[in-house]
PDB file of all heavy atoms in Angstrom:
ATOM      1  N   SER A 153      93.310 125.824  92.736  1.00 98.00           N
ATOM      2  CA  SER A 153      93.950 126.937  93.466  1.00 98.00           C
ATOM      3  C   SER A 153      95.434 127.036  93.086  1.00 98.00           C
ATOM      4  O   SER A 153      96.190 127.793  93.731  1.00 98.00           O
ATOM      5  CB  SER A 153      93.809 126.724  94.961  1.00 98.00           C
ATOM      6  OG  SER A 153      92.500 126.516  95.336  1.00 98.00           O
ATOM      7  N   ASP A 154      95.849 126.229  92.097  1.00 98.00           N
ATOM      8  CA  ASP A 154      97.234 126.252  91.606  1.00 98.00           C
ATOM      9  C   ASP A 154      98.261 125.809  92.646  1.00 98.00           C
ATOM     10  O   ASP A 154      99.364 126.353  92.694  1.00 98.00           O
ATOM     11  CB  ASP A 154      97.605 127.650  91.095  1.00 98.00           C
ATOM     12  CG  ASP A 154      97.002 127.930  89.739  1.00 98.00           C
ATOM     13  OD1 ASP A 154      96.795 126.952  89.001  1.00 98.00           O
ATOM     14  OD2 ASP A 154      96.716 129.099  89.450  1.00 98.00           O
ATOM     15  N   PHE A 155      97.877 124.848  93.478  1.00 98.00           N
ATOM     16  CA  PHE A 155      98.868 124.267  94.393  1.00 98.00           C
ATOM     17  C   PHE A 155      99.259 122.912  93.858  1.00 98.00           C
ATOM     18  O   PHE A 155      98.485 121.920  93.973  1.00 98.00           O
ATOM     19  CB  PHE A 155      98.329 124.194  95.832  1.00 98.00           C
ATOM     20  CG  PHE A 155      98.133 125.525  96.447  1.00 98.00           C
ATOM     21  CD1 PHE A 155      96.883 125.942  96.869  1.00 98.00           C
ATOM     22  CD2 PHE A 155      99.194 126.417  96.575  1.00 98.00           C
ATOM     23  CE1 PHE A 155      96.693 127.214  97.389  1.00 98.00           C
ATOM     24  CE2 PHE A 155      99.014 127.683  97.110  1.00 98.00           C
ATOM     25  CZ  PHE A 155      97.761 128.096  97.528  1.00 98.00           C
ATOM     26  N   ASP A 156     100.407 122.843  93.253  1.00 98.00           N
ATOM     27  CA  ASP A 156     100.876 121.619  92.612  1.00 98.00           C
ATOM     28  C   ASP A 156     101.317 120.615  93.704  1.00 98.00           C
ATOM     29  O   ASP A 156     102.038 120.980  94.628  1.00 98.00           O
ATOM     30  CB  ASP A 156     102.054 121.999  91.709  1.00 98.00           C
ATOM     31  CG  ASP A 156     102.397 120.904  90.743  1.00 98.00           C
ATOM     32  OD1 ASP A 156     101.700 119.862  90.752  1.00 98.00           O
ATOM     33  OD2 ASP A 156     103.349 121.069  89.953  1.00 98.00           O
ATOM     34  N   THR A 157     100.882 119.373  93.549  1.00 98.00           N
ATOM     35  CA  THR A 157     101.268 118.362  94.533  1.00 98.00           C
ATOM     36  C   THR A 157     102.531 117.579  94.083  1.00 98.00           C
ATOM     37  O   THR A 157     103.081 116.800  94.857  1.00 98.00           O
ATOM     38  CB  THR A 157     100.127 117.345  94.735  1.00 98.00           C
ATOM     39  OG1 THR A 157      99.646 116.922  93.470  1.00 98.00           O
ATOM     40  CG2 THR A 157      98.985 117.970  95.530  1.00 98.00           C
ATOM     41  N   ASP A 158     102.909 117.793  92.829  1.00 98.00           N
ATOM     42  CA  ASP A 158     104.030 117.025  92.251  1.00 98.00           C
ATOM     43  C   ASP A 158     105.302 117.165  93.090  1.00 98.00           C
ATOM     44  O   ASP A 158     105.811 118.269  93.259  1.00 98.00           O
ATOM     45  CB  ASP A 158     104.283 117.539  90.832  1.00 98.00           C
ATOM     46  CG  ASP A 158     105.019 116.522  89.987  1.00 98.00           C
ATOM     47  OD1 ASP A 158     106.042 115.991  90.472  1.00 98.00           O
ATOM     48  OD2 ASP A 158     104.579 116.266  88.854  1.00 98.00           O
ATOM     49  N   GLY A 159     105.787 116.050  93.620  1.00 98.00           N
ATOM     50  CA  GLY A 159     107.030 116.039  94.414  1.00 98.00           C
ATOM     51  C   GLY A 159     106.888 116.597  95.818  1.00 98.00           C
ATOM     52  O   GLY A 159     107.860 116.618  96.587  1.00 98.00           O
ATOM     53  N   LYS A 160     105.682 117.017  96.189  1.00 98.00           N
ATOM     54  CA  LYS A 160     105.476 117.617  97.506  1.00 98.00           C
ATOM     55  C   LYS A 160     105.243 116.532  98.569  1.00 98.00           C
ATOM     56  O   LYS A 160     104.807 115.432  98.283  1.00 98.00           O
ATOM     57  CB  LYS A 160     104.265 118.565  97.478  1.00 98.00           C
ATOM     58  CG  LYS A 160     104.394 119.719  96.504  1.00 98.00           C
ATOM     59  CD  LYS A 160     105.422 120.719  96.998  1.00 98.00           C
ATOM     60  CE  LYS A 160     105.485 122.005  96.219  1.00 98.00           C
ATOM     61  NZ  LYS A 160     105.465 121.889  94.775  1.00 98.00           N
ATOM     62  N   HIS A 161     105.575 116.893  99.797  1.00 98.00           N
ATOM     63  CA  HIS A 161     105.278 116.001 100.930  1.00 98.00           C
ATOM     64  C   HIS A 161     103.922 116.390 101.514  1.00 98.00           C
ATOM     65  O   HIS A 161     103.747 117.513 101.970  1.00 98.00           O
ATOM     66  CB  HIS A 161     106.364 116.112 101.987  1.00 98.00           C
ATOM     67  CG  HIS A 161     106.093 115.265 103.202  1.00 98.00           C
ATOM     68  ND1 HIS A 161     106.651 115.510 104.430  1.00 98.00           N
ATOM     69  CD2 HIS A 161     105.304 114.178 103.371  1.00 98.00           C
ATOM     70  CE1 HIS A 161     106.219 114.618 105.306  1.00 98.00           C
ATOM     71  NE2 HIS A 161     105.392 113.790 104.692  1.00 98.00           N
ATOM     72  N   VAL A 162     102.972 115.435 101.462  1.00 98.00           N
ATOM     73  CA  VAL A 162     101.633 115.686 102.022  1.00 98.00           C
ATOM     74  C   VAL A 162     101.447 114.845 103.263  1.00 98.00           C
ATOM     75  O   VAL A 162     101.626 113.619 103.224  1.00 98.00           O
ATOM     76  CB  VAL A 162     100.533 115.322 100.999  1.00 98.00           C
ATOM     77  CG1 VAL A 162      99.149 115.649 101.572  1.00 98.00           C
ATOM     78  CG2 VAL A 162     100.726 116.076  99.675  1.00 98.00           C
ATOM     79  N   ALA A 163     101.120 115.484 104.390  1.00 99.00           N
ATOM     80  CA  ALA A 163     100.752 114.734 105.588  1.00 99.00           C
ATOM     81  C   ALA A 163      99.246 114.702 105.715  1.00 99.00           C
ATOM     82  O   ALA A 163      98.601 115.750 105.775  1.00 99.00           O
ATOM     83  CB  ALA A 163     101.365 115.394 106.825  1.00 99.00           C
ATOM     84  N   ILE A 164      98.684 113.498 105.661  1.00 99.00           N
ATOM     85  CA  ILE A 164      97.237 113.343 105.836  1.00 99.00           C
ATOM     86  C   ILE A 164      96.996 112.813 107.234  1.00 99.00           C
ATOM     87  O   ILE A 164      97.568 111.784 107.637  1.00 99.00           O
ATOM     88  CB  ILE A 164      96.678 112.348 104.781  1.00 99.00           C
ATOM     89  CG1 ILE A 164      96.939 112.851 103.367  1.00 99.00           C
ATOM     90  CG2 ILE A 164      95.173 112.128 105.004  1.00 99.00           C
ATOM     91  CD1 ILE A 164      96.542 111.851 102.259  1.00 99.00           C
ATOM     92  N   LEU A 165      96.160 113.477 107.993  1.00 99.00           N
ATOM     93  CA  LEU A 165      95.837 113.059 109.339  1.00 99.00           C
ATOM     94  C   LEU A 165      94.465 112.397 109.311  1.00 99.00           C
ATOM     95  O   LEU A 165      93.469 113.052 109.029  1.00 99.00           O
ATOM     96  CB  LEU A 165      95.821 114.260 110.294  1.00 99.00           C
ATOM     97  CG  LEU A 165      97.182 114.755 110.830  1.00 99.00           C
ATOM     98  CD1 LEU A 165      98.146 115.075 109.723  1.00 99.00           C
ATOM     99  CD2 LEU A 165      97.003 115.975 111.707  1.00 99.00           C
ATOM    100  N   GLY A 166      94.437 111.094 109.567  1.00 98.00           N
ATOM    101  CA  GLY A 166      93.186 110.331 109.519  1.00 98.00           C
ATOM    102  C   GLY A 166      93.229 109.337 108.376  1.00 98.00           C
ATOM    103  O   GLY A 166      93.571 109.711 107.252  1.00 98.00           O
ATOM    104  N   ARG A 167      92.863 108.076 108.658  1.00 98.00           N
ATOM    105  CA  ARG A 167      92.961 107.019 107.640  1.00 98.00           C
ATOM    106  C   ARG A 167      91.610 106.367 107.358  1.00 98.00           C
ATOM    107  O   ARG A 167      91.521 105.152 107.115  1.00 98.00           O
ATOM    108  CB  ARG A 167      93.970 105.948 108.072  1.00 98.00           C
ATOM    109  CG  ARG A 167      93.635 105.340 109.439  1.00 98.00           C
ATOM    110  CD  ARG A 167      94.613 104.243 109.827  1.00 98.00           C
ATOM    111  NE  ARG A 167      94.521 103.946 111.243  1.00 98.00           N
ATOM    112  CZ  ARG A 167      95.297 103.071 111.861  1.00 98.00           C
ATOM    113  NH1 ARG A 167      96.206 102.408 111.221  1.00 98.00           N
ATOM    114  NH2 ARG A 167      95.172 102.866 113.169  1.00 98.00           N
ATOM    115  N   SER A 168      90.530 107.154 107.432  1.00 98.00           N
ATOM    116  CA  SER A 168      89.192 106.566 107.196  1.00 98.00           C
ATOM    117  C   SER A 168      89.067 106.153 105.728  1.00 98.00           C
ATOM    118  O   SER A 168      89.775 106.653 104.859  1.00 98.00           O
ATOM    119  CB  SER A 168      88.088 107.574 107.534  1.00 98.00           C
ATOM    120  OG  SER A 168      88.028 108.570 106.549  1.00 98.00           O
ATOM    121  N   ASN A 169      88.095 105.252 105.503  1.00 96.00           N
ATOM    122  CA  ASN A 169      87.878 104.787 104.113  1.00 96.00           C
ATOM    123  C   ASN A 169      87.213 105.830 103.242  1.00 96.00           C
ATOM    124  O   ASN A 169      87.190 105.704 102.015  1.00 96.00           O
ATOM    125  CB  ASN A 169      87.000 103.522 104.121  1.00 96.00           C
ATOM    126  CG  ASN A 169      87.802 102.327 104.585  1.00 96.00           C
ATOM    127  OD1 ASN A 169      89.016 102.322 104.541  1.00 96.00           O
ATOM    128  ND2 ASN A 169      87.113 101.304 105.071  1.00 96.00           N
ATOM    129  N   ILE A 170      86.607 106.853 103.868  1.00 97.00           N
ATOM    130  CA  ILE A 170      85.932 107.864 103.026  1.00 97.00           C
ATOM    131  C   ILE A 170      86.818 109.074 102.756  1.00 97.00           C
ATOM    132  O   ILE A 170      86.579 109.801 101.818  1.00 97.00           O
ATOM    133  CB  ILE A 170      84.560 108.316 103.586  1.00 97.00           C
ATOM    134  CG1 ILE A 170      84.688 108.929 104.971  1.00 97.00           C
ATOM    135  CG2 ILE A 170      83.557 107.203 103.565  1.00 97.00           C
ATOM    136  CD1 ILE A 170      83.435 109.732 105.333  1.00 97.00           C
ATOM    137  N   VAL A 171      87.846 109.301 103.578  1.00 98.00           N
ATOM    138  CA  VAL A 171      88.683 110.487 103.345  1.00 98.00           C
ATOM    139  C   VAL A 171      90.166 110.110 103.267  1.00 98.00           C
ATOM    140  O   VAL A 171      90.768 110.085 102.170  1.00 98.00           O
ATOM    141  CB  VAL A 171      88.486 111.572 104.420  1.00 98.00           C
ATOM    142  CG1 VAL A 171      89.283 112.828 104.035  1.00 98.00           C
ATOM    143  CG2 VAL A 171      87.024 111.953 104.618  1.00 98.00           C
ATOM    144  N   GLY A 172      90.774 109.811 104.394  1.00 98.00           N
ATOM    145  CA  GLY A 172      92.239 109.704 104.445  1.00 98.00           C
ATOM    146  C   GLY A 172      92.860 108.668 103.512  1.00 98.00           C
ATOM    147  O   GLY A 172      93.765 108.970 102.736  1.00 98.00           O
ATOM    148  N   ARG A 173      92.323 107.459 103.571  1.00 98.00           N
ATOM    149  CA  ARG A 173      92.941 106.365 102.780  1.00 98.00           C
ATOM    150  C   ARG A 173      92.803 106.589 101.280  1.00 98.00           C
ATOM    151  O   ARG A 173      93.807 106.543 100.563  1.00 98.00           O
ATOM    152  CB  ARG A 173      92.386 105.008 103.232  1.00 98.00           C
ATOM    153  CG  ARG A 173      93.178 103.813 102.770  1.00 98.00           C
ATOM    154  CD  ARG A 173      92.613 102.530 103.353  1.00 98.00           C
ATOM    155  NE  ARG A 173      92.731 102.477 104.799  1.00 98.00           N
ATOM    156  CZ  ARG A 173      93.854 102.205 105.439  1.00 98.00           C
ATOM    157  NH1 ARG A 173      94.960 101.947 104.790  1.00 98.00           N
ATOM    158  NH2 ARG A 173      93.889 102.165 106.765  1.00 98.00           N
ATOM    159  N   PRO A 174      91.574 106.866 100.787  1.00 98.00           N
ATOM    160  CA  PRO A 174      91.504 107.136  99.319  1.00 98.00           C
ATOM    161  C   PRO A 174      92.285 108.391  98.920  1.00 98.00           C
ATOM    162  O   PRO A 174      92.850 108.422  97.820  1.00 98.00           O
ATOM    163  CB  PRO A 174      89.987 107.317  99.060  1.00 98.00           C
ATOM    164  CG  PRO A 174      89.351 107.446 100.386  1.00 98.00           C
ATOM    165  CD  PRO A 174      90.227 106.821 101.388  1.00 98.00           C
ATOM    166  N   LEU A 175      92.357 109.372  99.789  1.00 98.00           N
ATOM    167  CA  LEU A 175      93.112 110.582  99.436  1.00 98.00           C
ATOM    168  C   LEU A 175      94.604 110.264  99.286  1.00 98.00           C
ATOM    169  O   LEU A 175      95.295 110.772  98.393  1.00 98.00           O
ATOM    170  CB  LEU A 175      92.908 111.675 100.505  1.00 98.00           C
ATOM    171  CG  LEU A 175      93.592 113.006 100.198  1.00 98.00           C
ATOM    172  CD1 LEU A 175      92.998 113.670  98.963  1.00 98.00           C
ATOM    173  CD2 LEU A 175      93.500 113.947 101.392  1.00 98.00           C
ATOM    174  N   ALA A 176      95.103 109.386 100.172  1.00 98.00           N
ATOM    175  CA  ALA A 176      96.525 109.002 100.072  1.00 98.00           C
ATOM    176  C   ALA A 176      96.785 108.314  98.725  1.00 98.00           C
ATOM    177  O   ALA A 176      97.788 108.586  98.067  1.00 98.00           O
ATOM    178  CB  ALA A 176      96.878 108.069 101.233  1.00 98.00           C
ATOM    179  N   ASN A 177      95.857 107.447  98.309  1.00 98.00           N
ATOM    180  CA  ASN A 177      95.999 106.802  97.028  1.00 98.00           C
ATOM    181  C   ASN A 177      95.967 107.817  95.891  1.00 98.00           C
ATOM    182  O   ASN A 177      96.768 107.768  94.950  1.00 98.00           O
ATOM    183  CB  ASN A 177      94.846 105.804  96.795  1.00 98.00           C
ATOM    184  CG  ASN A 177      95.119 104.469  97.489  1.00 98.00           C
ATOM    185  OD1 ASN A 177      96.264 104.033  97.542  1.00 98.00           O
ATOM    186  ND2 ASN A 177      94.100 103.855  98.008  1.00 98.00           N
ATOM    187  N   LEU A 178      95.037 108.734  95.993  1.00 98.00           N
ATOM    188  CA  LEU A 178      94.819 109.715  94.914  1.00 98.00           C
ATOM    189  C   LEU A 178      96.023 110.651  94.750  1.00 98.00           C
ATOM    190  O   LEU A 178      96.507 110.864  93.634  1.00 98.00           O
ATOM    191  CB  LEU A 178      93.569 110.531  95.285  1.00 98.00           C
ATOM    192  CG  LEU A 178      92.918 111.373  94.240  1.00 98.00           C
ATOM    193  CD1 LEU A 178      92.497 110.515  93.042  1.00 98.00           C
ATOM    194  CD2 LEU A 178      91.678 112.070  94.837  1.00 98.00           C
ATOM    195  N   LEU A 179      96.486 111.189  95.860  1.00 98.00           N
ATOM    196  CA  LEU A 179      97.586 112.187  95.747  1.00 98.00           C
ATOM    197  C   LEU A 179      98.925 111.546  95.418  1.00 98.00           C
ATOM    198  O   LEU A 179      99.846 112.232  94.995  1.00 98.00           O
ATOM    199  CB  LEU A 179      97.669 113.008  97.052  1.00 98.00           C
ATOM    200  CG  LEU A 179      96.446 113.864  97.365  1.00 98.00           C
ATOM    201  CD1 LEU A 179      96.720 114.731  98.604  1.00 98.00           C
ATOM    202  CD2 LEU A 179      96.024 114.753  96.214  1.00 98.00           C
ATOM    203  N   SER A 180      99.045 110.221  95.633  1.00 98.00           N
ATOM    204  CA  SER A 180     100.311 109.573  95.287  1.00 98.00           C
ATOM    205  C   SER A 180     100.262 108.918  93.913  1.00 98.00           C
ATOM    206  O   SER A 180     101.232 108.310  93.470  1.00 98.00           O
ATOM    207  CB  SER A 180     100.676 108.534  96.360  1.00 98.00           C
ATOM    208  OG  SER A 180      99.645 107.578  96.477  1.00 98.00           O
ATOM    209  N   MET A 181      99.106 109.071  93.212  1.00 98.00           N
ATOM    210  CA  MET A 181      98.994 108.466  91.864  1.00 98.00           C
ATOM    211  C   MET A 181      99.954 109.156  90.893  1.00 98.00           C
ATOM    212  O   MET A 181     100.251 110.329  91.045  1.00 98.00           O
ATOM    213  CB  MET A 181      97.562 108.662  91.331  1.00 98.00           C
ATOM    214  CG  MET A 181      96.714 107.431  91.413  1.00 98.00           C
ATOM    215  SD  MET A 181      95.013 107.801  91.021  1.00 98.00           S
ATOM    216  CE  MET A 181      95.168 108.446  89.383  1.00 98.00           C
ATOM    217  N   LYS A 182     100.351 108.375  89.881  1.00 97.00           N
ATOM    218  CA  LYS A 182     101.248 108.915  88.867  1.00 97.00           C
ATOM    219  C   LYS A 182     100.417 109.652  87.849  1.00 97.00           C
ATOM    220  O   LYS A 182     100.094 109.118  86.774  1.00 97.00           O
ATOM    221  CB  LYS A 182     102.008 107.744  88.227  1.00 97.00           C
ATOM    222  CG  LYS A 182     103.329 108.115  87.601  1.00 97.00           C
ATOM    223  CD  LYS A 182     104.092 106.876  87.246  1.00 97.00           C
ATOM    224  CE  LYS A 182     105.448 107.221  86.659  1.00 97.00           C
ATOM    225  NZ  LYS A 182     106.273 106.024  86.473  1.00 97.00           N
TER     226      LYS A 182
END
Side-chain angles (χ1 to χ4, degrees):
S153 307
D154 284 331
F155 293 119
D156 195 2
T157 49
D158 201 311
K160 299 289 189 314
H161 177 202
V162 182
I164 300 173
L165 279 55
R167 57 177 163 183
S168 73
N169 285 340
I170 59 164
V171 186
R173 195 175 296 281
L175 183 66
N177 278 325
L178 194 58
L179 297 185
S180 57
M181 258 171 58
K182 204 169 182 172

